[in-house]
Amino acid sequence: MVDLNDAIDKLAVTEPRLARVVECRFFGGLSEEETAEVLEVTARTVQRDWAKARMLLRRALSP
Amino acid sequence: MSDSEPRQSSSDFGSLLADRWLQLSPLVDAVLDAPRDRRSSVLTEVSGGDAQLRDEIERLVDECERAVPMLDRPAAEGFSHLLVADPDAAIPEMLGGRYRIEREVGRGGMARVYLARDLKHSRSVAVKVIRPDLARSLGRERFLREIEIAARLRHPNIVPVYDSGDTGGALYFVMPYEEGPSLRERLRVGPGMSSGECVSVLRDVARALAYAHEHGVVHRDVKPDNVMLSSGAAVVTDFGIAKAIAAAAGGDETPRPGSDSVPIVGTQPDSRRAITQTGVGIGTPAYMAPEQAVGDLTTDHRADIYSFGCLAYELFAGHPPFHNLPLREMISAHVGTAPVPLAAVSAAVPESVSRLVARCLEKKPAARPQRAQELLTELDAAQTTGPNAAIRRPRPLPRAVLVTPVIAGFALIGYVATRDRTTSLAKAPHEVTMAALPVVSDPVQARERPARTVNPEAYRLYVLGQRALTMRQQRMQASVERFRRATELDTLYADAFSGLSLALALAPYFEPITTRQVAGPVRAAAERALRLDSTLAPPHVALGMVHQYAYHWDSAAAELQTAIRLRKPDDIEPLVQYGRYMLHQGRAADALQQFLIARRTEPASALVSSWVAFTYLLQGQMDGALVESERAFQNDSTNYTTLQLGATVRVRRGDFAGARDLVDRLSPYDSRTLWTLAVIGDTATALQRLRELERRRPTPWLSRTTRSFVMLAMGDTTAAMAALERATDANELWPAFPGVLDPIYDPIRSSARFHALLRRVNLPLSDAIVGPRPVPR
């Protein structure tokens, strides 16, 4: 099992924006809309990024 | 960074290689964006008839839409750091019908710590509740039995365990509420300890170890965080807890230590496997004995002697024997690298102590002092003979190893690993000994993130502060306020202090506050941030800027280079500021290089594009400047710097109407606004506003620079020089924004009086700065 933080760091190397979405949504507890505002992208982009980030993190975390 | 090669491989996502993902990502996007009933055809379309590719994309898309329970609640609501965490396991208000939980006071790798009221004895106690996910994997009876043994310890240098229990799903133990400080905190913030104080602390710890070992209890996690300083004595806390957890996780059938010691030669593959399977390795890497590091089941009380050696080493040297290393390499060093002798890193250490520490740090347990009592005897001798000079300790500690615990004193057992954002990922497993590294994939492994917070409101404020910082829209005050409030909500929030230092450092550009006023607060915030997390880049940027304000360019360069080394992959601020430093030095080409790296990192940044455009302008590349300036406006047409620099680009192009349009969106009294108005011929407005500005009392910050700019635009170089000299007296920002290459200074560039001023601000009289301008192309 790998630490989630490591996985997020990995994500930040390859996909910095996805990692920021995770930071806002997961660590910050921001909603999709709030995240979109912070990152200055559309809510739709946040939604898509969040889905992709979860997939990548799950893969990074699985043994 | 030199190790970009291995980083590539460690940034893969399980079996999905990072490169492959980057190829597939746009295809996945296309499918995700398609309405559900169109997905199938879009899939076929993007995979271009390649069935295998189609499957691969489809699988990824499916996975994208599957929930990840761990992530589906914000971190603050659940256990933020571990996959196995169960957010539903709430802590009851009462435990064992006796302890009323009052508030959480700390969180460590393996437990949460609560301040509670012991109703039976009407006293405050600390209740440490084992993380529910961990507790579930423990044999509870075994755990409680082990704790029971530890609870029998009664010694003035040991924090006693009052009670333990298993109720309402929570596994906990109870200790006196110690406010500390811990030895860790003392090391971090206090004045240097004298050699005598150090020896005194070590004697107390040795006494505790000697007593506990005699009673069959090992600590297994001796480190400064677990030593509390109260009324002149050092008391060791969390005795036996690490052992209890290890034992309760199964596999640890070690003969009771202290009774007799099992000789250890090398490592035992079987034991290692057992540890790997149970997934428990306990300890803190910086202080962990080699046998403990490789998960040797025969680990006994002599591991405590080793950890004691590490702690003693740190007291005198300012850092444990192996530090500044990624987790794996640190463990590897414990196993196979001889430490630098203590005497070589600290002059103040008594020779007898240095010898003792070296023996404690022997790799083979049999070569160490075999009993803690022996430590005591040696230390007693040292105390009567040693020098007593205060120990000067290096600061700040280079990496997060030493700044780990969010809650010093309550940081419990477990791997508190280096959180090294940029480099640890890059390190390849370290040959030989690494085969014996069950610990690295250990579910018990917990990582502290001193940079982050678990307080959602503090995080919200941080994000808002960061946004205001990025936008540069005369909102530095807002940014400062938000960061400040975040630091008040969570006084250990390194990122918030870091943001605060940077926002304060930028404030003089945007707010009526002087560089002299911010210097102290910037330093305070930056140093605080670095003490909490020495891997942060922004505080170094902030410190670099403060040096620039004092015209100390070399110190500024050093800080900015450090910032670049430490920066997170998506952090452009160090690059932008270092590029600007290059502009101040008249090195436009070098500046451009930094800005272009920043642009590659953050292609949509208006700020970066503005600086790229401005640098092109300085190099005479008018076309490039125009294209890049356009790009900046497309990225964000409200960014303050974009408007300021964009106006200058337009003036140079002769687009006066365009320039006017831009400065109308700036502050009416901004120096660049007034220069632009004057240079495009509206001298009446420029002078009128200048007079309004200068009528204010006290003399407004940057008003001297503003006068100088207006005079330069109007061709009155004598008045301009006089104003610029007064601006220098007041430490105004003219050499720093946007730098002396600015075409604004062209009318005085070759004047001796200007050269004298450049010398005053320590800038080189290079050709680039005082020579003829490049001819626009």
Side-chain angles (χ1 to χ4, degrees):
Chain A
M1 219 153 292
V2 188
D3 191 284
L4 174 62
N5 293 314
D6 279 350
I8 293 174
D9 287 344
K10 279 187 187 187
L11 188 62
V13 173
T14 313
E15 291 270 33
R17 196 180 69 204
L18 301 197
R20 297 220 45 208
V21 168
V22 174
E23 294 208 352
C24 289
R25 297 227 48 203
F26 180 60
F27 288 102
L30 302 186
S31 69
E32 262 167 23
E33 291 70 29
E34 288 165 333
T35 305
E37 204 191 330
V38 169
L39 300 183
E40 297 172 53
V41 294
T42 64
R44 173 66 200 140
T45 301
V46 169
Q47 211 173 35
R48 199 174 56 216
D49 285 353
W50 179 234
K52 292 195 292 185
R54 289 187 308 182
M55 183 273 292
L56 293 173
L57 287 176
R58 194 213 330 261
R59 279 179 168 253
L61 287 166
S62 48
Chain B
M1 219 161 288
S2 63
D3 37 20
S4 58
E5 179 79 27
R7 173 189 297 181
Q8 207 56 42
S9 63
S10 61
S11 60
D12 295 334
F13 305 101
S15 57
L16 176 61
L17 304 184
D19 286 349
R20 180 69 179 152
W21 164 248
L22 290 176
Q23 288 167 354
L24 295 178
S25 177
L27 310 183
V28 170
D29 282 355
V31 180
L32 282 172
D33 278 344
R36 296 215 168 254
D37 54 348
R38 291 252 312 121
R39 286 243 171 124
S40 180
S41 55
V42 172
L43 255 175
T44 311
E45 201 177 301
V46 298
S47 53
D50 180 340
Q52 211 176 335
L53 179 61
R54 190 184 195 279
D55 283 352
E56 194 175 3
I57 298 171
E58 187 168 22
R59 203 164 49 240
L60 291 174
V61 169
D62 282 352
E63 284 183 38
C64 280
E65 301 196 321
R66 220 180 296 160
V68 178
M70 167 186 52
L71 290 173
D72 290 342
R73 273 162 173 260
E77 286 178 26
F79 285 98
S80 52
H81 302 150
L82 288 143
L83 180 62
V84 289
D86 176 4
D88 293 322
I91 299 301
E93 285 170 28
M94 284 285 288
L95 280 172
R98 174 172 167 186
Y99 305 103
R100 195 183 61 230
I101 302 293
E102 293 185 344
R103 62 188 159 91
E104 182 174 327
V105 289
R107 198 174 289 206
M110 291 197 173
R112 284 187 178 186
V113 187
Y114 298 89
L115 172 62
R117 193 73 190 157
D118 176 355
L119 299 178
K120 184 169 165 190
H121 292 128
S122 299
R123 60 183 172 183
S124 287
V125 292
V127 175
K128 302 195 178 184
V129 181
I130 304 295
R131 257 184 19 222
D133 54 306
L134 175 58
R136 256 200 311 281
S137 69
L138 295 178
R140 293 175 171 237
E141 282 175 22
R142 180 77 198 270
F143 177 82
L144 293 173
R145 204 160 63 232
E146 291 283 342
I147 290 282
E148 191 86 339
I149 295 164
R152 286 183 210 138
L153 300 177
R154 284 285 177 272
H155 188 272
N157 298 113
I158 292 177
V159 180
V161 174
Y162 286 152
D163 192 9
S164 58
D166 175 14
T167 55
L171 200 52
Y172 64 91
F173 56 99
V174 183
M175 305 179 113
Y177 181 66
E178 292 274 349
E179 293 212 51
S182 68
L183 181 54
R184 161 71 63 231
E185 289 165 322
R186 176 73 175 77
L187 287 172
R188 196 188 289 158
V189 298
M193 290 165 72
S194 72
S195 167
E197 283 174 272
C198 293
V199 172
S200 165
V201 165
L202 291 175
R203 289 170 77 237
D204 287 344
V205 175
R207 276 196 204 100
L209 289 177
Y211 170 87
H213 291 172
E214 272 166 36
H215 290 77
V217 178
V218 285
H219 194 293
R220 283 222 185 155
D221 197 21
V222 174
K223 59 180 176 182
D225 315 273
N226 282 334
V227 175
M228 308 298 288
L229 302 175
S230 70
S231 52
V235 284
V236 182
T237 187
D238 282 357
F239 244 105
I241 309 301
K243 171 75 178 356
I245 288 177
D252 190 330
E253 297 301 334
T254 316
R256 187 77 56 226
S259 49
D260 66 279
S261 42
V262 182
I264 296 169
V265 183
T267 56
Q268 302 168 2
D270 289 343
S271 327
R272 268 189 257 130
R273 195 152 50 240
I275 287 284
T276 312
Q277 281 157 2
T278 57
V280 171
I282 304 293
T284 303
Y287 306 90
M288 196 162 19
E291 65 272 22
Q292 207 175 350
V294 300
D296 193 318
L297 290 188
T298 59
T299 299
D300 62 18
H301 69 283
R302 292 171 301 183
D304 282 355
I305 306 249
Y306 183 92
S307 302
F308 174 88
C310 294
L311 183 145
Y313 194 104
E314 180 170 2
L315 282 185
F316 287 97
H319 56 80
F322 307 110
H323 71 124
N324 209 1
L325 292 172
L327 178 62
R328 282 163 183 268
E329 288 177 23
M330 179 181 295
I331 290 172
S332 166
H334 279 300
V335 175
T337 309
V340 177
L342 185 50
V345 285
S346 167
V349 60
E351 202 199 319
S352 56
V353 172
S354 172
R355 268 200 316 271
L356 178 66
V357 168
R359 285 177 59 215
C360 291
L361 294 177
E362 285 288 343
K363 307 298 181 200
K364 293 189 177 175
R368 298 174 203 151
Q370 298 294 296
R371 295 276 179 267
Q373 186 61 45
E374 206 179 313
L375 306 176
L376 206 48
T377 316
E378 295 281 340
L379 289 167
D380 284 344
Q383 196 165 43
T384 52
T385 60
N388 211 25
I391 295 166
R392 282 155 45 95
R393 210 163 262 121
R395 188 224 61 80
L397 303 171
R399 220 183 259 177
V401 182
L402 297 180
V403 277
T404 36
V406 176
I407 335 100
F410 289 118
L412 287 197
I413 39 203
Y415 297 111
V416 180
T418 310
R419 175 160 157 59
D420 181 353
R421 293 183 185 77
T422 52
T423 57
S424 68
L425 288 172
K427 304 293 180 191
H430 213 273
E431 56 214 6
V432 220
T433 54
M434 289 308 100
L437 261 187
V439 290
V440 174
S441 56
D442 183 340
V444 175
Q445 180 171 339
R447 303 206 163 182
E448 305 284 358
R449 300 197 81 133
R452 291 199 169 135
T453 184
V454 290
N455 180 326
E457 177 62 9
Y459 184 78
R460 190 182 72 85
L461 289 164
Y462 169 77
V463 170
L464 292 172
Q466 197 63 39
R467 176 168 46 170
L469 189 69
T470 312
M471 293 173 85
R472 304 271 204 276
Q473 284 172 330
Q474 293 213 305
R475 291 172 65 183
M476 282 305 142
Q477 169 129 25
S479 182
V480 168
E481 276 169 11
R482 285 156 176 173
F483 286 132
R484 179 78 74 193
R485 270 161 57 209
T487 64
E488 284 162 5
L489 288 173
D490 180 349
T491 56
L492 297 171
Y493 190 0
D495 271 343
F497 282 103
S498 167
L500 178 62
S501 68
L502 194 52
L504 282 168
L506 283 163
Y509 290 111
F510 301 94
E511 304 283 348
I513 183 169
T514 71
T515 48
R516 287 171 192 168
Q517 285 173 303
V518 297
V522 168
R523 280 199 201 93
E527 280 165 17
R528 179 78 186 262
L530 291 173
R531 271 203 302 276
L532 291 167
D533 183 349
S534 59
T535 67
L536 294 174
H540 291 287
V541 176
L543 291 171
M545 295 179 75
V546 168
H547 285 306
Q548 293 187 20
Y549 297 155
Y551 313 133
H552 295 149
W553 307 102
D554 291 347
S555 317
E559 290 289 353
L560 293 169
Q561 284 158 4
T562 305
I564 286 183
R565 212 166 50 241
L566 294 172
R567 78 185 182 95
K568 284 198 264 184
D570 63 343
D571 180 10
I572 55 170
E573 201 71 60
L575 299 166
V576 170
Q577 298 304 337
Y578 194 48
R580 293 191 40 205
Y581 161 82
M582 290 297 181
L583 282 185
H584 310 152
Q585 301 299 304
R587 295 161 59 182
D590 294 325
L592 186 61
Q593 188 188 344
Q594 299 299 323
F595 294 143
L596 289 178
I597 299 173
R599 193 178 67 172
R600 205 155 56 229
T601 309
E602 186 101 44
S605 162
L607 180 69
V608 172
S609 285
S610 302
W611 283 109
V612 171
F614 188 69
T615 312
Y616 281 146
L617 176 75
L618 298 179
Q619 292 180 317
Q621 300 181 40
M622 189 50 87
D623 289 348
L626 286 174
V627 170
E628 195 64 31
S629 181
E630 265 322 300
R631 185 169 156 152
F633 278 97
Q634 282 167 19
N635 290 340
D636 180 0
S637 61
T638 62
N639 183 290
Y640 202 79
T641 305
T642 301
L643 293 167
Q644 286 181 309
L645 298 181
T648 304
V649 171
R650 275 158 184 66
V651 167
R652 303 310 284 184
R653 188 177 65 173
D655 175 8
F656 288 0
R660 167 127 214 174
D661 176 47
L662 296 188
V663 296
D664 280 348
R665 295 189 245 160
L666 294 172
S667 155
Y669 301 99
D670 188 288
S671 57
R672 195 142 304 252
T673 305
L674 297 198
W675 175 79
T676 306
L677 292 176
V679 91
I680 64 177
D682 189 356
T683 49
T685 308
L687 285 171
Q688 168 65 27
R689 290 199 196 157
L690 179 64
R691 275 194 296 273
E692 286 168 20
L693 181 69
E694 290 179 336
R695 260 205 304 273
R696 297 188 206 157
R697 287 291 172 271
T699 310
W701 172 238
L702 303 186
S703 64
R704 304 146 186 108
T705 304
T706 309
R707 163 162 286 274
S708 167
F709 283 9
V710 172
M711 292 301 125
L712 282 167
M714 293 172 60
D716 185 346
T717 52
T718 310
M721 276 310 308
L724 207 53
E725 283 156 1
R726 285 203 307 281
T728 311
D729 294 339
N731 266 81
E732 285 190 2
L733 287 164
W734 68 270
F737 184 84
V740 289
L741 295 178
D742 192 337
I744 282 182
Y745 302 110
D746 286 356
I748 50 173
R749 203 166 288 284
S750 56
S751 100
R753 203 169 158 188
F754 184 58
H755 298 177
L757 207 49
L758 290 174
R759 274 192 289 270
R760 250 183 81 189
V761 298
N762 304 320
L763 283 173
L765 299 185
S766 62
D767 259 8
I769 294 182
V770 300
R773 299 289 75 208
V775 182
R777 283 180 271 124

